[in-house]
Amino acid sequence: MNYVTLVEETRAGLLENVHLGMIGGVNDQLETVYHAGNQDHYTYYRSAAKPIQALPVFLSNIVAKYGLTREEAALFTASHRGETYHVKALESMLSKLPVREEELFCPPSYPLNVKPREEMLWNHKEKRRLFHNCSGKHMGFVTVCRELGYPVEGYWEADHPLQQQILIILSTLSEVPVSEIKIGTDGCGVPVFAIPLKNMAITYLKLACPDTIKDPLLQKAVKEMISVMNEHPMMVASEKFICSVLLQDPNVVAKGGAQGVYCFGLKKERLGFALKVLNGSEEVWPNIVASILEQINYDNKETIARIRELKPSIVRNDAGVEAGAVKETFSLIKSQEMTEKRAL
């Protein structure tokens, strides 16, 4: 495994923590243009797959047929945090869609965000499947099954027709043959897919640049889905989370997943990136993504500044006193540099 040090954390000048990983970046010719570490490392998408898993909804007429708002539709792609506005929209969706909460395979949970979770505990509210961060995705799964005549029972199994449809969509977007996609089980119980990091970057390049997708129906569905995500970024995560901050920039398509996986695409620059933090940390995503954008000279400095605010380079203790630092230590290797290294 070929990896690099992405971020170092120090306290009083002493190295306290190291985050190792790898990064892949591709252009609209599906060629590697940037990398750090092994871009061929097989990586599970985890929740970075949610936009791909939502595409069967957007390939159908579900949003219009059931009168969903665009804000509600964004929840099909989301890792929602259980804020009041998330729960309100999810309950509205339940009232419109041919779905019962008990049909959702994701387990009953409390919200991910601290404030709504504590409020529910304080008020002695029980866990609900609706509060699970994947509930929007699962509502999409059940609804698609009913629309396409698939059995709802077992929709979470890898050999179910819906999961096979998603597998084919993923293969199309990633340029990885179905036979080479590795399948595991995700936290919410549905199949999770692993492919080379470079190909994960390719999927997000195509999400950002749908004109690179040959299938016109899939291209149209991607355009609709991404516009919904950019219009309603808070539904995809919530305030002060990197996905929502990035999606506020209409030029960016982005989604993270558990265990340190992050993917994003840039529309104008026609680039796709995927990264994996090997210790599974999500805390350093803002540092890594901001550094990538700085290294490629991304012109929206406001977006970079907003990301930097999420994880400042100065570490402060509980009293607000400076105690240490967070520093990105990787340099993206450009494709020309890669060619020169191979020639040596």
Side-chain angles (χ1 to χ4, degrees), residues 90-236:
L90 289 162
E91 288 180 331
S92 173
M93 292 168 72
L94 268 183
S95 72
K96 297 174 182 179
L97 295 172
V99 177
R100 299 187 305 276
E101 186 170 351
E102 60 268 24
E103 291 180 302
L104 306 180
F105 191 66
C106 54
S109 305
Y110 285 119
L112 289 179
N113 275 359
V114 173
K115 184 178 178 180
R117 181 170 66 247
E118 289 181 343
E119 286 178 353
M120 288 178 186
L121 289 168
W122 179 260
N123 291 306
H124 306 291
K125 291 188 177 181
E126 296 183 356
K127 294 179 179 181
R128 288 180 63 181
R129 298 179 190 276
L130 203 69
F131 299 155
H132 194 284
N133 80 95
C134 298
S135 60
K137 175 179 75 176
H138 282 258
M139 276 198 275
F141 285 164
V142 173
T143 305
V144 168
C145 286
R146 292 216 155 93
E147 289 299 296
L148 300 182
Y150 297 156
V152 171
E153 180 64 28
Y155 74 80
W156 52 88
E157 301 288 352
D159 60 356
H160 188 278
L162 173 61
Q163 300 302 332
Q164 289 296 303
Q165 180 185 0
I166 291 169
L167 183 62
I168 291 169
I169 291 172
L170 174 61
S171 176
T172 299
L173 293 178
S174 68
E175 304 285 331
V176 178
V178 167
S179 61
E180 296 179 18
I181 297 174
K182 301 184 187 300
I183 303 176
T185 303
D186 212 341
C188 66
V190 300
V192 60
F193 310 105
I195 62 173
L197 199 67
K198 172 188 175 181
N199 296 86
M200 294 175 72
I202 287 174
T203 62
Y204 272 75
L205 175 279
K206 290 185 179 181
L207 293 181
C209 304
D211 60 286
T212 59
I213 301 171
K214 295 177 183 178
D215 182 336
L217 293 178
L218 185 58
Q219 182 183 122
K220 180 180 177 183
V222 166
K223 288 179 180 178
E224 179 66 10
M225 179 183 70
I226 298 306
S227 68
V228 164
M229 293 175 71
N230 282 130
E231 287 174 24
H232 299 285
M234 296 306 162
M235 304 306 287
V236 179

Side-chain angles (χ1 to χ4, degrees), residues 4-7 19-23 276 288 327-330:
V4 299
T5 300
L6 298 175
V7 175
H19 301 274
L20 308 174
M22 53 275 291
I23 300 168
K276 167 71 173 176
I288 299 168
K327 181 182 179 182
E328 306 88 43
T329 58
F330 69 94

Side-chain angles (χ1 to χ4, degrees), residues 1 31 75 80 87 124 136 170 175 190 221 240 248 270 297 310 318 324 341:
M1 183 187 299
E31 301 167 334
L75 283 162
H80 73 80
V87 175
H124 306 291
L170 174 61
E175 304 285 331
V190 300
K240 297 183 180 179
Q248 289 178 60
R270 300 181 70 81
N297 296 314
L310 298 175
D318 296 343
K341 285 189 175 184

